[in-house]
Each structure stands twice: as C-alpha cells, then as structure tokens.
Amino acid sequence: MVRPTLPTSHLVMASALLLVSAVQPGQTQQQALDQGLHSLFVASGKLFFGTAIDTNNFDDTAYQTIATNKNEFGLYVPENSQKWGPIEPTQGQFRFANPDSVEAQAQNNDQIFRCHALAWHSQLPSFIANGTWTRPLLIAALQSHITIVMTHYKSRCYSWDVVNEALNDNGTLRDSVFLRVLGTDYLPLSFAAAAAADPSAKLYYNDFNLETIPAKADGAVRLVKLIQAAGVRIDGIGFQAHLTVGGTPSQAKLAATLNRFVALGLEVTLSELDIAHNKLPASARAVEQQAKDYVTAVGACLSVPKCVGITVWQFTDKYSWIPSTFPGKGDACLFTANFTKKPAYTAVARCIDSGGCASGDDVAI
Ligand code: G3I
C-alpha cells in the first residue's frame, strides 16, 4: 500500500505568516482558543504543532484522547522506538513493530510523521557502541542502518533527524564511535546515505542548547557548511529547545539564531520543546514565567517564515523524560500529569491566535 507522506491538508505550506486571528464567523474568542494548537498554528501559516509519543503511552485512554486529536497535535515523532538501539538491537535484525504502530496511529488521524534518529552517540546497540570497528566495516554498518530504516519508512516521514547531537556545548565535535573511527566524514556519509534512501524526506541535523549557547550554534554552522561543502543535501536544523523556566532567550535572540541557519538555505523547527522548572513545586510566579517562556519560544518560530513548525517532547508531565534525568526538576510540559491545560497552554494558544506573540513579556496570562 502506498501511503502519502503528508495529508493533503498539510501539503500547502504558506511561506509567509498570515497575521490574522483564527476566530471564524459565529465563533467566540474562547472557541477559537479551544480549537487546538495545531489548528491555530496552521491558521498562522505553519505546517505543524506536534508531539513526541510512543507505544508505551498507547494504553492510557486519557492520554490518547488528546494525542489523537489532530487539531491539538498534527504531527507525531516516536520518542524512542526509531532510535538505533530499539530498532536494530542486533546487527541486521530490525524491529519495526513499535514505530510502525506510531506511524499507523498518525496515518489514522491524518497526522504528519517526523522521524528520529539515525546517527546518534546515545541509545546505540551494544554491537555498535562496543564493537571493534575498521573504517570500511563501520561505514558499511552506518550506511546499511540508514538505508534499511529509511527505506522501510520511504515517503512516509516528513523529515528524518539524520545526525543527532554531534556537538559538544563548546561547538567542537562530540566523542563517539563514529567520530573516532570515521572522523568528520561520518557527517556527509550519513546525509548522503539518507538522501539516497528517501529523496522525499527532509534531512535534518538535530541538537540541544543551540538556542542558548552561541559557541554551540557556531559549531552547528560549521557542521552544516562541512556537509554542504561535500556536495551533500541537508535541509533543516532541529532546535530541540529543552529550555528552563527563566532561562529562555529573548524572542529576538532566538529568532536571530534560527535565522543564522535560514541564511544557509535551511528550514528550521523547534523539535523537542519543553520548558522545565528548576525547583518543584513551582511557585505561582514560576508558572507565570513558564507561560511567558513558552510564548517567547513559539513567538520566535512564528516570526521566522522558514520555521516550519514546533514539536513538544511529550505534552503531559506524566510522561516527561525530565524528572528521571534531572531529579527535582520538571513540570515542563503544556499539560499537567492529570491532563489539565496549564497557563502556558492558554498563553500559547492566545499568542498564536493573535498572530504574533510579540514577546512573552507582553502576554496576559
Ligand atoms: O525500554 C526500556 C525498558 O525495557 C526498561 O525496562 C527500562 C528500564 O530503565 O528502560 C527502558 O528504556 C528507557 C527508554 O527511555 C524508554 O522509556 C531508557 O532507559 C531511557 O534512557 C530512555 O530515555 C530516553 C532518552 O532520550 C534516552 O537518551 C527518553 O525517554 C527520551 O525522551 C529521550 O529523548 C531525547 C531525544 O531522543 C534526543 N534529544 C534529547 C531527548 C531528551 O533526553
């Protein structure tokens, strides 16, 4: 069965922002705000407002009620199941069942599918991480992984995170089996294999802290230029945007950073947005600041025409990755663990509906 990459409704992507309220005739302002973040974002000229999700959340009915509402989240990315470890735990043996289920649910709900991640130092299977590699053998394993996985999802992924988190915060390349054995060649090699496997998928470099650490953004610019100089296709940069309350850069600064990559001919996206409280329980003031910070991040994307959309890294605190990785921090999502919309949700809906999110500081919570 040939399945289209995108639902027809998403195929027309406005390149310019339509700065109009999404309120329709006969609709109240509240009804406009309740129509869902994806609907609001699409009405603002963007392609998607999506969420990370995976099959371990599928039996939670309250979760699924929100996750399957395409007006709320118009795109899915599998949070874990497409990574190298889960998908090819043993060399040459692939487990597609879980990511296939995520993709099937996206198809059933007319949602876009974003794919994550191919060459990454983390969540690697032992045969890669602990193998003794020669250059030709590792090139063959990397190319084979990329080719087989991308061919399985051919023309079904809006984009692929081809290389993920290859940089240290100081902008140098991060130590990994790929860098040790292949040097910088693994970057163009990965993108070239991806371009050959699925010409229709947008090919992304994806990383965190690009928003907040200029030296790391400098490193990403060098990385893009290295791939482009090799004559290999790269289409976009995923700014993961794992931010902290009170630590979100201004809208102007964030937009300027996004535009550094637009200037290189790329599209950009906020690919894993969440904004964590440093201290829990969050004070009323911190809850308000979180709402402002979300508005700032969403506003930056809105202000950059080549920012195609935003994906949150889970929409509920119930399944956020943060507390287990950073104990004592969290409550970073738009919905509480009980699936109640937070002030951040309402502020984001209002700012998208008003068509601009001029600045987080201007938003009435
Ligand atoms: O699936 C196993 C399960 O079988 C086992 O019993 C359990 C015991 O620990 O572990 C389960 O695997 C966990 C997996 O999430 C699925 O829940 C791993 O231990 C855990 O490390 C893994 O964490 C994920 C993390 O990536 C790994 O690096 C998070 O859920 C996921 O949100 C996070 O996502 C990353 C993006 O891919 C890249 N950017 C940063 C982002 C946050 O770290």
Side-chain angles (χ1 to χ4, degrees):
M1 183 176 68
V2 177
R3 286 182 274 193
T5 312
L6 295 177
T8 319
S9 57
H10 298 302
L11 284 174
V12 180
M13 180 174 62
S15 58
L17 293 181
L18 305 172
L19 296 180
V20 291
S21 167
V23 180
Q24 302 298 316
Q27 200 180 38
T28 65
Q29 180 75 21
Q30 190 56 48
Q31 285 167 332
L33 297 180
D34 285 343
Q35 67 186 278
L37 298 177
H38 176 69
S39 290
L40 287 164
F41 223 30
V42 168
S44 295
K46 297 301 182 187
L47 190 55
F48 57 81
F49 200 106
T51 185
I53 181 172
D54 226 314
T55 47
N56 50 334
N57 313 131
F58 275 15
D59 57 1
D60 183 332
T61 312
Y63 178 90
Q64 284 283 52
T65 301
I66 299 170
T68 57
N69 176 0
K70 71 171 179 187
N71 295 319
E72 197 70 271
F73 297 111
L75 171 148
Y76 287 167
V77 56
E79 184 175 359
N80 284 298
S81 60
Q82 274 182 330
K83 295 168 181 175
W84 199 326
I87 211 167
E88 191 190 4
T90 305
Q91 189 161 20
Q93 293 180 20
F94 291 83
R95 293 187 182 169
F96 291 118
N98 283 337
D100 282 0
S101 297
V102 178
E103 199 262 341
Q105 182 163 304
Q107 275 290 328
N108 288 340
N109 296 315
D110 197 22
Q111 290 156 310
I112 303 170
F113 192 46
R114 182 172 202 283
C115 295
H116 171 84
L118 294 164
W120 187 26
H121 69 280
S122 181
Q123 279 178 288
L124 282 172
S126 172
F127 81 86
I128 290 287
N130 304 320
T132 306
W133 293 104
T134 61
R135 181 181 168 89
L137 282 178
L138 188 57
I139 290 176
L142 181 62
Q143 288 175 331
S144 160
H145 176 77
I146 291 173
T147 304
I148 291 173
V149 174
M150 285 189 70
T151 302
H152 183 84
Y153 294 103
K154 191 168 182 176
S155 81
R156 289 147 64 188
C157 298
Y158 167 72
S159 63
W160 263 106
D161 292 331
V162 177
V163 176
N164 197 43
E165 300 175 4
L167 293 165
N168 295 307
D169 278 354
N170 67 5
T172 59
L173 284 168
R174 179 199 288 274
D175 179 56
S176 71
V177 62
F178 306 115
L179 187 68
R180 282 195 298 276
V181 179
L182 306 178
T184 58
D185 288 353
Y186 92 86
L187 300 163
L189 271 169
S190 298
F191 278 88
D198 188 352
S200 71
K202 304 260 187 196
L203 307 182
Y204 268 68
Y205 176 70
N206 191 52
D207 212 334
F208 60 91
N209 285 353
L210 301 176
E211 314 82 18
T212 47
I213 304 181
K216 192 164 191 178
D218 293 345
V221 167
R222 287 193 293 273
L223 182 150
V224 169
K225 287 183 173 170
L226 185 150
I227 292 163
Q228 291 176 330
V232 174
R233 175 163 71 92
I234 175 169
D235 300 303
I237 300 293
F239 288 76
Q240 293 184 7
H242 292 296
L243 302 168
T244 52
V245 172
T248 301
S250 72
Q251 182 181 310
K253 266 195 178 156
L254 186 48
T257 307
L258 299 177
N259 275 323
R260 290 186 69 185
F261 296 88
V262 173
L264 297 174
L266 306 180
E267 64 177 43
V268 294
T269 191
L270 304 187
S271 56
E272 304 184 10
L273 176 63
D274 50 23
I275 307 184
H277 289 286
N278 281 314
K279 213 173 135 202
L280 296 173
S283 65
R285 180 184 274 260
V287 168
E288 189 179 327
Q289 185 62 45
Q290 183 185 49
K292 289 179 175 175
D293 289 347
Y294 261 103
V295 164
T296 297
V298 173
C301 181
L302 270 176
S303 73
V304 173
K306 292 285 276 185
C307 182
V308 293
I310 292 178
T311 305
V312 289
W313 208 243
Q314 288 289 1
F315 58 87
T316 164
D317 294 335
K318 187 172 182 178
Y319 297 124
S320 171
W321 65 284
I322 292 172
S324 59
T325 306
F326 299 110
K329 303 187 179 185
D331 283 4
C333 299
L334 291 170
F335 289 71
T336 67
N338 293 324
F339 303 105
T340 306
K341 291 174 180 173
K342 292 185 187 174
Y345 177 101
T346 311
V348 165
R350 192 174 290 145
C351 95
I352 303 173
D353 183 57
S354 69
C357 313
S359 150
D361 293 337
D362 299 338
V363 170
I365 308 298

